């Protein structure tokens, strides 16, 4: 018996502190014009020193649970997608479980960078579809400001902090459903985008502490090309599996890394720009949180209405890519 799975609630949270392009130009040799023209980003949010990934994830999750009408104790499964966990172990999901009082849930993290939220969606959807769990809370949460090299203008202008969440559960008659999902990986390109230090391969020691190895490193131009190709292909996989045509798609919610990438994908999918969700001017690239925040904003702003069909598509380090087609 395969159950249809619905998205019963969404939530998001971004930290209070706004960092503008102007603010960044006081830290590194950059300017608003370069950042806006090359990326579309105008500002990003920066978490407080004592505000961690789990705190932001918990706030987003609380809002999603409220909308779904679910108590913490009723949650069966919590998956946190993050590359900026509070601690290497235990999983950030364990802190979230405790904060939500979700004492009956199984909780674990996944690491699939910017595609992580849609990876979590596929995993949770399949576990609910096959009856292993009744519901799941999926969260994309990142404190990238802790892993950015604030001396490197080629990366530090791109990223921000935040979290988004969704509650998945078995669909009842007449409810919208997750129509199709796709996930993929190319481990041959690990050098294009990574955090080289801080793991077992390169622990941070007194000898290398000055080298900032536990920060994001990216070959932007190469990543850009892969991002366009992989996101276009993955979106097309779910569009075809769901039996949709371009004109059926009410909204595309793409990963929020670069407006030029988003425009290129919209173009290739032949979806007009007014049917593409963009919020990266406010938040920059929040990795696994980006699509989760965008989904919640699209939901709460009424950009997706009951019965609408829409597509989410992501791309990130790994390389990883993922897409989902949804009927709301
Ligand atoms: O979330 C995971 C997926 N990530 C992505 O999808 C990111 C993909 N890549 C990108 O979005 C773009 O490649 C970037 C926005 C990162 C860079 O844009 P670009 O058009 O590829 O610029 P570039 O790296 O070729 O740099 C162009 C110039 C260089 O100067 P020269 O060599 O032409 O003299 C850079 O040094 O711009 C310079 N530059 C900057 N100038 C002012 C690089 N960063 C900055 C900066 N401010 N922040």
């Amino acid at each position: 018996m395969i159950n249809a799975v619905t998205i019963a609630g969404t939530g998001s949270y971004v930290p209070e502190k706004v960092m503008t392009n102007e603010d960044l130009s006081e830290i590194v040799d950059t300017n608003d014009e370069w950042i806006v023209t090359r990326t579309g980003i105008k500002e990003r949010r920066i978490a407080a020193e004592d505000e961690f990934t789990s705190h932001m994830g918990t706030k987003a999750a609380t809002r999603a649970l409220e909308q779904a009408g679910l108590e913490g104790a009723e949650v069966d499964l919590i998956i946190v997608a993050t590359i900026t966990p509070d601690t290497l172990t235990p999983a950030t999901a364990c802190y979230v479980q405790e904060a939500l009082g979700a004492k009956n849930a199984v909780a674990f993290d996944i690491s699939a960078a910017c595609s992580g939220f849609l990876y979590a969606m596929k995993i949770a959807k399949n576990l609910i579809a096959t009856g292993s769990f009744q519901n799941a809370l999926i969260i994309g949460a990142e404190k990238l400001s802790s892993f950015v090299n604030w001396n490197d203008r080629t990366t530090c202008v791109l990223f921000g902090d935040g979290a988004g969440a969704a509650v998945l559960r078995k669909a009842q008659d007449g409810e919208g459903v997750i129509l199709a999902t796709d996930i993929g990986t190319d481990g041959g390109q690990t050098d294009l985008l990574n955090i080289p230090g801080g793991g077992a391969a390169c622990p941070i020691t007194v000898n290398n502490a000055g080298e900032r190895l536990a920060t994001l490193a990216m070959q932007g131009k190469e990543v850009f090309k892969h991002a366009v190709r992989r996101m276009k292909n993955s979106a097309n996989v779910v569009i075809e599996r769901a039996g949709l045509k371009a004109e059926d798609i009410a909204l595309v919610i793409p990963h929020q890394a670069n407006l030029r990438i988003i425009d290129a994908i919209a173009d290739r999918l032949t979806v007009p720009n007014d049917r593409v969700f963009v919020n990266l001017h406010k938040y920059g690239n929040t990795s696994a949180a980006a699509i989760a925040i965008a989904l919640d904003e699209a939901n709460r702003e009424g950009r997706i209405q009951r019965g609408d069909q829409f597509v989410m598509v992501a791309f990130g380090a790994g390389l990883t890519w993922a897409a989902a087609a949804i009927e709301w």
Side-chain angles (χ1 to χ4, degrees), residues 29-31 34-35 38-39 114 153-154 157-159 193 218 220-221 223-224 227 255 257-258 260-261 285 315-317:
D29 179 17
T30 190
N31 56 73
W34 190 95
I35 303 173
R38 299 288 178 135
T39 72
C114 308
R153 69 174 183 172
T154 68
V157 301
L158 305 172
F159 299 100
L193 176 50
M218 175 165 71
K221 266 206 191 317
V223 172
F224 192 112
H255 176 50
N258 188 317
R260 291 185 291 141
I261 296 177
N285 181 350
F315 174 85

